[in-house]
Amino acid sequence: MSATPPATFGTLRRALQASPGRRTRLHTLRGELVPLAALADLPRLLLARVLGRTPDGPWFCTPAVDFLTRVVQPHWRVLECGSGRSTLWYARHGDSVLALEDAPAWHAEVGRLLAGQVNASLELLPAREFPARMAAEPAESYDLVVVDGGDHEPEGERLPAVTGRVACVLAGVRLVRPGGVLVLDNSDRPEYRLVDQPLDGWHSTRLRGFPNAPMTPTETTFYWKPPSSVMR
C-alpha cells in the first residue's frame, strides 16, 4: 500500500483551518467540537447553497432551528432584535412579533416580506437604541425574546458588546415572562459571555452546528426564565 502523498495532508490541514479564535473549522469560538449530527447535516446545507435556496426561518445553526420549532407555541408573543425572514416565521408560528431593525435597506426588504401580516410590527432605529426601546415595553410581556442583531453602528462598525447584543440581553431579562425564553445567537463569541452572570439561575440549552452561511460552526443558547417564586 502506497503512503499518502504529503500534499494530501496539506490539503486536509487547510480544509480544517478556520478564522482566528477557532481550533479548527469544526470548532465553535467556545472551543467545542460540533456534534456528529451537525456534520451529517453539512451535505444538505451545501446543496442548498449551490441551488441558491434561502432558509425561510431564523438564520441559526440547524440544531437550534429544529429546537426552536419544537419550543415556540401559537399563543407566544415574540420580540426580536434584528429582523429578517425569521420575523415572518415568528408571525406565522406565534401570536405576534415586534422586530427591531437598524439597517434601512433591510428594513424595507423585510417590510415587503411582512406585507399583509397584521400580527407583525417592524421598527427602524439605530442598534444602540434597541435597549432603550425595549425598556419602554411592559415587564414580563413576552414569551420569547430573540437577540440576533443590534450589534453594528450605521457605518458598519461593530458596537462594543456592552452596548450591542449584551445590552439587548440585559434589557430582555425584564421582558421575558416567568417560564419564557430568551435566545442569544452566536453565544460562543467571547464578548457575549458577559451575559453569563446576569442570567445565572436561568436554565440554558446550548446548541452547536452550522448555519446556512457562513459555513463555520456557531452556537445558539436558549435561556429559560425561572418561575417568579424562584426569583427573589
Side-chain angles (χ1 to χ4, degrees):
M1 181 180 295
S2 59
T4 304
T8 301
F9 291 110
T11 301
L12 179 60
R13 184 177 65 252
R14 289 191 296 272
L16 292 177
Q17 287 176 342
S19 59
R22 297 181 188 275
R23 294 173 59 187
T24 73
R25 192 179 296 274
L26 303 181
H27 286 81
T28 68
L29 289 172
R30 197 182 292 272
E32 296 177 334
L33 190 66
V34 295
L36 290 176
L39 293 176
D41 201 42
L42 271 176
R44 182 183 64 82
L45 292 173
L46 290 169
L47 178 61
R49 290 191 64 181
V50 170
L51 297 178
R53 295 173 181 168
T54 304
D56 291 329
W59 205 290
F60 299 154
C61 62
T62 301
V65 175
D66 294 341
F67 186 76
L68 183 71
T69 301
R70 300 193 299 271
V71 167
V72 172
Q73 302 297 314
H75 65 277
W76 276 18
R77 299 184 70 239
V78 181
L79 188 148
E80 183 184 25
C81 296
S83 67
R85 291 173 179 81
S86 56
T87 309
L88 180 59
W89 190 92
Y90 292 125
R92 289 175 171 173
H93 289 77
D95 178 72
S96 64
V97 57
L98 166 62
L100 309 179
E101 176 57 50
D102 65 305
W106 187 239
H107 174 271
E109 176 63 25
V110 176
R112 285 190 287 271
L113 288 174
L114 297 176
Q117 199 72 41
V118 297
N119 65 336
S121 299
L122 178 65
E123 299 184 11
L124 177 65
L125 67 162
R128 63 171 57 250
E129 296 181 14
F130 283 10
R133 173 64 185 86
M134 296 167 72
E137 293 292 298
E140 299 183 348
S141 55
Y142 288 93
D143 303 280
L144 175 65
V145 172
V146 182
V147 180
D148 186 22
D151 57 355
H152 284 81
E153 297 277 16
E155 299 79 15
E157 296 181 5
R158 177 165 289 182
L159 285 168
V162 293
T163 56
R165 289 194 192 183
V166 171
C168 289
V169 169
L170 299 181
V173 167
R174 186 184 65 89
L175 299 183
V176 179
R177 66 164 178 80
V181 185
L182 189 151
V183 179
L184 175 61
D185 194 29
N186 307 118
S187 54
D188 54 319
R189 293 177 183 172
E191 62 268 30
Y192 295 161
R193 295 173 204 169
L194 292 170
V195 308
D196 290 347
Q197 184 174 357
L199 293 175
D200 184 38
W202 293 44
H203 172 71
S204 63
T205 302
R206 291 194 293 117
L207 298 169
R208 311 184 305 278
F210 296 91
N212 186 68
M215 281 294 175
T216 50
T218 188
E219 173 189 280
T220 303
T221 301
F222 294 73
Y223 297 94
W224 304 83
K225 189 170 188 175
S228 296
S229 59
V230 175
M231 300 196 65
R232 304 291 182 182

